[in-house]
Amino acid sequence: MNHLKQITQAKIDVRFYSRALIKIVFMVTDVFPENDTEGLSPLMRKKALGISSFLTHGTVKTDLDEQKQDFLTVMGELRDLLKLATIAQHLKYCSPSHLNDVRAGISNVIDRLDKLVILIGGFEK
């Protein structure tokens, strides 16, 4: 497979897994208590949607520096989502298996994003 096709496939893959992460987050937050005083459910959902949005916009940009900036933003958002999921499990809003589902979803996005970043030349100038 030539390099351009590899990049295109990597972009498709990372977008696919970011949408899968949205589904996971929505399923997990559905079991949160109705009296979610911390507001974790909407925060986690917003983070998951934002991650997918940044990836979608980043993968269609032609400027590599802009793409890389969006991808760096995504990495920070993934870290924040993991923090929120860990807090939710600590507060007993969800089970450890739910937290593991979110972690696996985040890991899948990171893995695909790493492959894409390597294909476009990494973060170095």
Side-chain angles (χ1 to χ4, degrees):
M1 186 182 300
N2 73 32
H3 190 68
L4 185 56
K5 285 184 180 180
Q6 288 178 321
I7 291 173
T8 301
Q9 186 60 52
K11 289 178 178 183
I12 291 167
D13 290 346
V14 75
R15 289 192 304 242
F16 172 83
Y17 282 99
S18 72
R19 288 189 302 275
L21 179 61
I22 291 170
K23 291 178 188 174
I24 292 167
V25 168
F26 272 68
M27 288 189 322
V28 168
T29 56
D30 275 347
V31 302
F32 283 15
E34 286 186 29
N35 63 345
D36 175 9
T37 56
E38 305 300 322
L40 291 176
S41 178
L43 284 173
M44 288 179 64
R45 289 176 176 198
K46 184 177 178 181
K47 286 284 181 199
L49 291 167
I51 288 164
S52 185
S53 179
F54 273 114
L55 283 171
T56 299
H57 288 102
T59 57
V60 297
K61 291 181 177 175
T62 56
D63 184 295
L64 282 181
D65 289 334
E66 287 182 14
Q67 279 187 17
K68 292 174 184 180
Q69 188 57 46
D70 281 351
F71 298 157
L72 284 172
T73 300
V74 166
M75 295 304 280
E77 294 294 300
L78 288 166
R79 184 185 64 236
D80 291 346
L81 178 58
L82 180 58
K83 283 186 212 174
L84 292 170
T86 303
I87 292 168
Q89 198 276 317
H90 178 73
L91 293 172
K92 310 256 188 272
Y93 282 12
C94 62
S95 69
S97 68
H98 286 123
L99 177 59
N100 287 339
D101 291 343
V102 174
R103 284 181 177 158
I106 290 170
S107 178
N108 285 334
V109 174
I110 290 171
D111 181 54
R112 293 338 183 268
L113 185 56
D114 283 347
K115 289 177 182 174
L116 175 57
V117 168
I118 289 167
L119 286 170
I120 63 172
F123 288 114
E124 297 176 9
K125 291 200 176 217

